[in-house]
Amino acid sequence: MFHTSKIKLATFVGIILSVASLIVHLYLANSSSRELIYYRLPVDNLYGPRFKFKALWGPVGSLVSLQPYANPRKVYPAPSESNNGYIYAKIYGGFERIRSSICDLVTVARLLNATLVIPEIQASLQSKGISSKFKSFSYLYNEAQFIEALTKDVTIIGSLPRSLKEARKKNIFPVVSPKYSASPSFYLDEVLPKLKGSKVIGLVIADGGCLQSVLPPTMVEYQRLRCKVAFMALDFRPEIKALGTQIVERLRASGKPYLAYHPGLVKETLAFHGCAELFQDLHTELIQHRRKQMIKKGILHEELSVDSFIRKRNGSCPLMPEEVGLLLRAVEYPPDTIIYLAGSETFGGQRVLLPLRAMYGNTVDRSSLCGKTELSSLAGPESPLPPSTVQPPPPKTKEELQEEWKKAGPRPRPLPPPPGRPFYRHEKEGWYGWLAEAEVEPDPTTMDLRMNAHRLLWDALDYHVSVEADAFFPGFNDDGSRWPDFSSLVMGHRLHKSASKITYRPDRRRLAELFGTTSSNRYHPSRNWTLAMRESLKKGLGVEGLAAAADRMTEQQPPPSFLSHPLPGCSCRTSPAAGDQEVLLGGVEICPEWMRSSPVSVSLRATGGKDDGSEEGGGGEDEVGGEFPPETDGGSKADAAAAGPSEQDAEMDPDD
């Protein structure tokens, strides 16, 4: 009897302890996840259903007051008909370099008080196999919109006058190849005298920019002009915009928001930073081959073989898609989240994307959302290409076989060699063929050139979809190279257009450190690791992330493209900041009264557009509510260029 009562007592005590333990665990779990705010937002007509988590889909409260405002603040004279001459330009490179170069080119034309001829994009010339329906510039952008949007800034024409075209063909006019990030004094001291002497000058831009990213404070109006070019004048042609809008509508058809992700796995940047060991087999050899070329041409001044994993820990290599998937899981994006893969090139192919697709099944790209006909229609009617010159060896005739038999040597004959394996076409074409058989990369074929032009269209589509996305995650941005990158341009555009949208700015060095602590247990990390990841990503979303980007603009050499961080000159605040925000956003001025009182018209008029019942934007007196202050600096630069370099310009830092 006594033994039975002891068993009952022990059972009762065990139950009590179990209940107490359960209560403690529930309390700790509830208190440790309070940083996530679970509430529903009001219904938004654009997206349909209500969003579940503000922490995942925004808006970012500390950035709601930032609004686009690239209008001139001072006296800004319109371009005069009597100027210093014409500037024509050839632009080389991919989508990112083209976009950044055009913005710099317009700014240089304003600085030199010159007429700008629509630049020639070398990757989309008709000699590259594109459709005869398009000219070079109009293959990507709306030429009429480009000219009209900049009417008050720079005189732009479609082509040189006929009398000057013949002289250009004879190479009579001087041609200048400015270095990347050339200073304004270079143009005023070196280019302007040549322009005045010949009335026409050519510029060859190959490195993704021809004007330094950080201009002197006296030239803030030129920074705003860059913003106006990038975010208003450079409008894609209607067919690209229409298909991009359709893709966005299809992504939101289910009523859910979507996240755009650009892996940043581009061979050029991987070779520049020495990230070859992150890949395997032939992909490693391809990166090393490109790196060897860069060293030979003087683009890179490093050893050929470097430790890629050290570079990875320093933040110099991109986040791999598997790591991005784990980060999104740590932030608690659900498995059915719609992820749009942006970018025309993902080095490593679908193999490197498999882990991300396994974690997030709704990972899509342009090819899964659009039919082949829709995509091919963007390129227009193209002429058929000549057949491939690589053909299998012709069969030998009977006479040739008999002649070989006679010359085969004394009898008895040895056994004939085994038959050769079948001829595979891919072994003689493309990168596999030359990598396997030769050390020198062959010249691109007409098909290669046409595919490069098509990549411009795919990047333009993905750029539009990424800017409009509800959230954006970059795999590789501000990589420290001297070239603009896709993710940075998208992040800068989103910061200018809608700063409060969720745009992640990951600290790759910190994330690499955290991944290193759980390398053996990535898919089942500890709670502390998950919280540390969330905290790191959360910092980059708000004011702290913008402050870090601003520090890179002043400290990093060479500095990132201005278009990746168009603050403080191209935005304003609708309300004063408080506390730490005032320190970090202190350089962003308060918006004019008309923007604070009428927020509906902000997005139109702040970038020089039109609103119902209002005057046309662009910096008029009625818009800013009063007269402009006396002209003291940036607004007079273009007129000063007509008379030659001023004393103030002569004090600028010389070009490196």
Side-chain angles (χ1 to χ4, degrees), residues 55-308:
L56 300 182
W57 302 110
V60 180
S62 60
L63 302 181
V64 170
S65 64
L66 281 179
Q67 297 294 334
Y69 187 49
N71 288 356
R73 316 293 201 265
K74 303 181 183 299
V75 173
Y76 193 74
S80 60
E81 295 182 0
S82 58
N83 54 28
N84 293 321
Y86 299 92
I87 295 177
Y88 68 90
K90 295 182 178 181
I91 299 177
Y92 292 85
F95 176 83
E96 304 85 3
R97 299 190 189 185
I98 291 170
R99 193 171 183 87
S100 180
S101 298
I102 293 174
C103 297
D104 288 355
L105 186 61
V106 173
T107 308
V108 169
R110 173 79 186 186
L111 177 68
L112 300 181
N113 189 23
T115 297
L116 177 64
V117 181
I118 291 289
E120 298 175 0
I121 300 174
Q122 298 302 297
S124 58
L125 294 175
Q126 290 190 12
S127 61
K128 302 298 192 296
I130 72 166
S131 172
S132 58
K133 178 182 177 181
F134 306 105
K135 294 182 180 179
S136 171
F137 187 86
S138 61
Y139 190 70
L140 268 186
Y141 297 109
N142 188 332
E143 188 172 312
Q145 163 69 12
F146 181 71
I147 296 174
E148 182 182 358
L150 299 173
T151 302
K152 297 184 178 181
D153 304 278
V154 178
T155 301
I156 303 176
I157 59 176
S159 61
L160 284 171
R162 183 175 300 178
S163 59
L164 299 175
K165 285 183 178 179
E166 295 298 327
R168 179 189 171 183
K169 291 180 181 179
K170 297 177 181 178
N171 297 325
I172 294 177
F173 303 126
V175 177
V176 179
S177 299
K179 295 181 180 180
Y180 177 79
S181 192
S183 67
S185 61
F186 166 78
Y187 291 98
L188 295 173
D189 297 338
E190 302 292 335
V191 180
L192 182 60
K194 296 179 181 179
L195 176 62
K196 286 183 175 181
S198 62
K199 292 301 179 181
V200 179
I201 195 169
L203 297 180
V204 178
I205 308 173
D207 290 331
C210 59
L211 185 64
Q212 68 185 39
S213 181
V214 181
L215 295 176
T218 56
M219 301 186 68
V220 65
E221 295 299 344
Y222 289 90
Q223 297 288 55
R224 296 190 181 106
L225 177 57
R226 274 174 163 169
C227 292
K228 188 174 182 180
V229 177
F231 307 136
M232 179 184 169
L234 279 180
D235 203 17
F236 298 122
R237 58 182 167 94
E239 298 87 350
I240 296 176
K241 289 186 65 178
L243 185 55
T245 303
Q246 288 182 16
I247 293 176
V248 174
E249 292 173 352
R250 292 168 187 173
L251 287 166
R252 290 177 174 151
S254 62
K256 298 179 181 179
Y258 73 94
L259 179 144
Y261 161 57
H262 184 261
L265 300 175
V266 181
K267 183 173 67 172
E268 195 86 4
T269 54
L270 292 171
F272 183 87
H273 293 287
C275 304
E277 294 176 5
L278 301 181
F279 297 86
Q280 297 177 359
D281 305 330
L282 290 175
H283 293 98
T284 299
E285 294 186 39
L286 282 169
I287 295 175
Q288 288 296 85
H289 174 81
R290 182 60 186 141
R291 184 174 173 85
K292 184 178 180 180
Q293 287 182 324
M294 292 174 132
I295 295 173
K296 186 176 181 180
K297 294 179 180 180
I299 300 174
L300 187 61
H301 304 282
E302 293 182 358
E303 295 181 358
L304 176 62
S305 299
V306 294
D307 192 331
S308 300

Side-chain angles (χ1 to χ4, degrees), residues 47 244-260 338-341 362-366 368-369 465-466 468-470:
Y47 306 134
T245 303
Q246 288 182 16
I247 293 176
V248 174
E249 292 173 352
R250 292 168 187 173
L251 287 166
R252 290 177 174 151
S254 62
K256 298 179 181 179
Y258 73 94
L259 179 144
I338 301 173
I339 299 178
Y340 181 82
L341 281 172
N362 289 336
T363 300
V364 296
D365 56 18
R366 83 188 79 82
S368 57
L369 294 172
V465 176
S466 299
E468 297 295 327
D470 304 286

Side-chain angles (χ1 to χ4, degrees), residues 488-653:
S488 294
L489 294 185
V490 170
M491 294 165 72
H493 199 148
R494 291 171 63 89
L495 175 60
H496 177 79
K497 181 180 179 180
S498 49
S500 59
K501 277 190 174 182
I502 294 290
T503 302
Y504 289 97
R505 301 173 183 87
D507 183 347
R508 293 189 299 275
R509 181 176 297 182
R510 172 60 178 161
L511 296 180
E513 178 185 343
L514 290 174
F515 274 120
T517 61
T518 183
S519 57
S520 60
N521 200 21
R522 285 187 170 188
Y523 285 84
H524 301 283
S526 64
R527 177 69 177 173
N528 291 338
W529 184 90
T530 302
L531 293 177
M533 280 292 188
R534 289 185 197 170
E535 184 65 23
S536 177
L537 293 176
K538 181 180 177 182
K539 285 182 179 180
L541 288 175
V543 179
E544 291 185 40
L546 296 185
D551 291 340
R552 286 194 295 270
M553 290 293 294
T554 56
E555 298 175 0
Q556 185 171 299
Q557 294 298 327
S561 170
F562 171 75
L563 300 179
S564 66
H565 186 75
L567 291 180
C570 298
S571 299
C572 64
R573 292 178 290 163
T574 56
S575 60
D580 295 338
Q581 295 183 21
E582 179 64 32
V583 177
L584 299 174
L585 295 178
V588 181
E589 60 187 49
I590 300 297
C591 296
E593 180 61 30
W594 64 265
M595 292 182 67
R596 301 197 300 272
S597 60
S598 181
V600 177
S601 63
V602 165
S603 61
L604 293 173
R605 297 176 63 189
T607 54
K610 292 183 180 180
D611 189 24
D612 295 338
S614 66
E615 298 292 334
E616 184 178 357
E621 294 179 4
D622 293 339
E623 290 191 2
V624 295
E627 296 182 356
F628 289 107
E631 181 180 358
T632 57
D633 38 42
S636 63
K637 289 285 180 182
D639 295 336
S646 63
E647 294 181 0
Q648 189 176 17
D649 295 325
E651 295 176 358
M652 296 177 184
D653 294 334

Side-chain angles (χ1 to χ4, degrees), residues 325-366:
L326 295 173
L327 291 174
L328 297 180
R329 284 179 56 177
V331 184
E332 293 195 343
Y333 279 96
D336 61 347
T337 299
I338 301 173
I339 299 178
Y340 181 82
L341 281 172
S344 62
E345 177 187 356
T346 300
F347 191 80
Q350 294 297 319
R351 183 171 65 176
V352 299
L353 296 172
L354 285 177
L356 176 65
R357 293 185 183 275
M359 287 181 271
Y360 290 93
N362 289 336
T363 300
V364 296
D365 56 18
R366 83 188 79 82

